[in-house]
Amino acid sequence: MTFPATVRATRPEPLDAAGLRRAAARVLLANWTGSSTVPSRTLYPHQWSWDSAFIALGLRHLSPRRAQVELETLLGAQWDDGRLPHIVFDAATPADAYFPGPDFWRAGPSPKVRTSGIVQPPVHALAAWRVHRADPAEAARRGFLARAYPRLAAWHRYLGTCRDLGGHGLAAIVHPWESGMDNSPCWDGPLARVEPVPPSRFRRRDLDHAASADRPTDRDYGRYVRLARDYRDHGYDDAAAPHAFAVEDPAFNALLVLSELALARIAEAVGADPAPHRRRAEQVTAALLDRLWDAPSGLFLCRDLVGGGPIREHGVGGLVPLAVPGLPVAADLVRTAVGERFGLGRVHMVPSYDLTGHAFEPARYWRGPSWFNMSRLVHMGLLEHGETARADALRASMLNAAGRSDFAEYIDPLTGEGHGSTGFAWTAATVLDLLAGG
């Protein structure tokens, strides 16, 4: 594949480090609601679960206390079964500002806290530990870790019990939104068996703020609505729900490993036993390798628990386990990252899907564009396994792309053009984390 050199940018020249930091700080301040940070004031006007974890990682460099509050707000919406919902709805925002809104989900831990009923990747313990380390004295004064630890432990217990749908030690997702990579081609096969709700039965609000060519299709949304409605109508009961979609995702489980390792450190800090968390991290790592590693492709693949067998699509989630310490196949993953499928070092950041794949679309959400949070996770993995030069080049690519695109939600990996919302919170947070050497 030939990669274009031209970058169509919002800014003709990238900002210097100081200017980039100031601009990133302005984004996070503008998106702050008083208790949490919205990803985007227009497109995503509530609190999103894994967004808040990435946002906290950046906020800690501006205000460690605000980063603690960010995570505490999310943890305060935890359900009795331990799950952390993927959306916490802002009571001051009109119920119909986002679809599906609180009236669709009919869920939450209390009448005053309305949430969705599904989850997102477990980055939270990792974020909590790093937020604590940003200002241990302030965290200790506020009792941050002591209050967060039991909630984070309950969250991980939920994933290890209710969501081990395959029975092999990996947490399963039951909706594409739970992966955070909503319309990835990795989900096309499992979704094909889901009958979509007709578009006439719901009203999308995302297209009020973003180009339809950048977003999932109406047919995608119809399937998302069907799955969410069926789960809701079975009381969000993981044992009773039919689960037409159930997938073991390598990125979700790799992040669980990183967060279990972080939770072990948190346990030590609060006087609890770290051993169960370390043991759980080892078990999930072993299951990742046994269940999802695909040696011929040099990548971790998703596994369809309903249809059976691996999903032979090559998404960026398959590179995320590179961030796991001591991973025995790290060198293979690096070779895949720099190869023709992901073009690391030759394209902008890390594409979300195989550049050579049949479903690659460089501007449509998770079907090809490069995202800052996923590129950051790959960057962490490169650092973890001694690939310093490649990590430095990827860092420069991320900073350049953020500055040129006005902190876009995601970018075209071939041209660098920004897509989705601008002033996107986790893009700004990732910039702050990278500039601080995080």
Side-chain angles (χ1 to χ4, degrees), residues 42-65:
T42 56
L43 196 53
Y44 307 103
H46 301 286
Q47 183 180 28
W48 261 258
S49 172
W50 78 324
D51 290 70
S52 275
F54 285 109
I55 288 164
L57 289 170
L59 268 180
R60 67 187 168 130
H61 304 296
L62 297 178
S63 169
R65 185 181 186 280

Side-chain angles (χ1 to χ4, degrees), residues 191-339:
L191 283 175
R193 58 177 170 259
V194 177
E195 181 64 28
V197 171
S200 60
R201 300 281 299 278
F202 57 89
R203 184 191 170 194
R204 295 175 62 175
R205 298 308 301 263
D206 58 320
L207 299 183
D208 296 344
H209 308 289
S212 60
D214 292 355
R215 300 290 298 172
T217 65
D218 280 349
R219 192 166 182 82
D220 289 332
Y221 253 82
R223 286 171 166 145
Y224 304 153
V225 172
R226 174 80 64 186
L227 288 169
R229 188 192 68 184
D230 289 352
Y231 193 33
R232 178 200 68 194
D233 291 349
H234 284 80
Y236 302 107
D237 185 331
D238 293 300
H243 297 317
F245 180 99
V247 172
E248 292 172 344
D249 172 30
F252 194 103
N253 283 279
L255 290 169
L256 180 57
V257 171
L258 297 181
S259 276
E260 284 287 6
L261 293 173
L263 201 53
R265 293 185 172 187
I266 294 172
E268 285 183 311
V270 302
D273 184 5
H277 303 299
R278 292 183 180 132
R279 185 163 56 249
R280 177 67 176 144
E282 292 173 358
Q283 291 168 346
V284 177
T285 302
L288 265 172
L289 289 162
D290 180 57
R291 297 273 292 171
L292 305 185
W293 173 245
D294 185 63
S297 63
L299 192 69
F300 287 88
L301 301 180
C302 302
R303 179 174 288 271
D304 182 358
L305 295 178
V306 179
I311 299 170
R312 300 207 170 275
E313 298 284 1
H314 304 117
V316 68
L319 294 176
V320 172
L322 184 62
V324 172
L327 191 74
V329 295
D332 302 85
L333 281 178
V334 171
R335 282 193 290 273
T336 300
V338 302

Side-chain angles (χ1 to χ4, degrees), residues 50 54 121 123 179-182 184 187 249-252 254-255 315-323 337 342 344 348-353 365-366 368-382 394 398 409-410 424 426-427 430 434:
W50 78 324
F54 285 109
V123 200
S179 71
M181 295 174 277
D182 304 9
S184 168
W187 318 137
D249 172 30
F252 194 103
L255 290 169
V316 68
L319 294 176
V320 172
L322 184 62
F342 295 98
L344 181 65
H348 299 274
M349 303 187 346
V350 185
S352 53
Y353 177 69
Y365 216 42
W366 289 96
S370 296
W371 287 74
F372 289 85
N373 67 323
M374 303 307 287
S375 296
R376 173 67 171 123
L377 292 172
V378 173
H379 175 258
M380 288 168 53
L382 292 170
L394 178 54
M398 285 188 279
E409 187 177 356
Y410 52 90
F424 201 71
W426 78 20
T427 301
T430 298
L434 289 171

Side-chain angles (χ1 to χ4, degrees), residues 2 9 114 237 404:
T2 301
R114 304 181 78 186
D237 185 331
R404 286 180 175 271

